[in-house]
Amino acid sequence: ASVKTITFYAYKGGTGRSLVVANAAKYLAGFGQHVFALDFDLEAPGLHYKFSDPQRPLPVTQGVVDFFARYKQTRALPDSLDAFQVPVPLPAETTGSIRLMPAGTAPSSAYWRTLAGLNWHDFFYRPGAQGLAVFLELKERIREEFAPDFLLIDARTGITEVGGIATTVLPDIVVCLLVNNRENLEGVRSVLRGIQRCSRPPLLTLIQVVPVLARVPHRE
């Protein structure tokens, strides 16, 4: 069965995007759905904090950057994704489940060194680059190994190579969070036009875009 893939994107920070991803995952798990969450905000990762109890942080040992660093080194995908993900503890009465593939062991110095060693431009644009195929294979591996009902992606703010894949190739739905000011509105409008113009791999349906106004101001 296919996995419903939803990317949560924000042009600027401060919209509460990662918290929305975590809350959506917990909400779906509460309805008996099995959720796989993926942190693609590699430069400012924080999704693992949103799933952690302050007294018992999630035992993160590897994540997205380690997955791609291994591919860069070996030119092969690992046999299993198990080492790159962690189950999220949920209340005993919860019938669904959540698994998280974090960005990595951020904010450790080893994480930043690993991230700095990844050249995304070469990964996607050098002759013979396999970047797009590896991202699609990652999604397929998640489907095969964990059979989630939903894949939720926390995407980087702004416009980046990884963010582009997360918003134009992988998802069925893009939830776009924005703040009500001109900078956000014009930036998001540009990104949404890019999503609608992008060429999708064969057999993929058109992306549904859901704009969400965050931090709604309180007025008397």
Side-chain angles (χ1 to χ4, degrees), residues 113-130:
R113 284 197 302 271
T114 305
L115 178 61
L118 297 173
N119 187 325
W120 295 110
H121 189 273
D122 282 357
F123 192 62
F124 288 110
Y125 301 118
R126 65 173 171 74
Q130 295 294 308

Side-chain angles (χ1 to χ4, degrees), residues 46-216:
L47 191 54
H48 56 295
Y49 292 117
K50 303 298 186 289
F51 285 121
S52 291
D53 183 310
Q55 307 303 320
R56 287 179 294 176
L58 289 178
V60 173
T61 57
Q62 294 189 86
V64 173
V65 297
D66 306 283
F67 172 86
F68 286 102
R70 180 181 294 190
Y71 177 81
K72 177 187 174 184
Q73 183 178 16
T74 64
R75 291 296 168 196
L77 296 176
D79 293 334
S80 171
L81 297 179
D82 197 53
F84 300 94
Q85 61 83 41
V86 58
V88 175
L90 293 169
E93 66 273 13
T94 305
T95 53
S97 66
I98 303 172
R99 292 179 179 271
L100 169 67
M101 187 172 183
T105 57
S108 71
S109 57
Y111 173 83
W112 300 118
R113 284 197 302 271
T114 305
L115 178 61
L118 297 173
N119 187 325
W120 295 110
H121 189 273
D122 282 357
F123 192 62
F124 288 110
Y125 301 118
R126 65 173 171 74
Q130 295 294 308
L132 177 58
V134 174
F135 271 86
L136 290 171
E137 182 61 22
L138 171 60
K139 179 179 175 178
E140 179 61 18
R141 289 287 191 88
I142 290 171
R143 187 191 69 79
E144 289 179 355
E145 281 193 53
F146 305 104
D149 300 297
F150 288 88
L151 172 60
L152 305 185
I153 300 175
D154 189 1
R156 176 84 173 115
T157 53
I159 298 173
T160 64
E161 286 91 350
V162 175
I165 294 293
T167 55
T168 63
V169 176
L170 298 179
D172 304 299
I173 300 171
V174 174
V175 176
C176 190
L177 292 106
L178 64 153
V179 177
N180 188 20
N181 59 43
R182 185 171 178 178
E183 182 181 8
N184 259 266
L185 294 173
E186 291 186 354
V188 166
R189 184 181 295 119
S190 175
V191 170
L192 295 184
R193 285 173 176 163
I195 292 173
Q196 291 171 341
R197 287 195 302 264
C198 76
S199 58
R200 297 264 281 167
L203 304 180
L204 294 185
T205 58
L206 293 176
I207 297 171
Q208 178 185 353
V209 177
V210 181
V212 176
L213 188 63
R215 287 170 47 200
V216 178

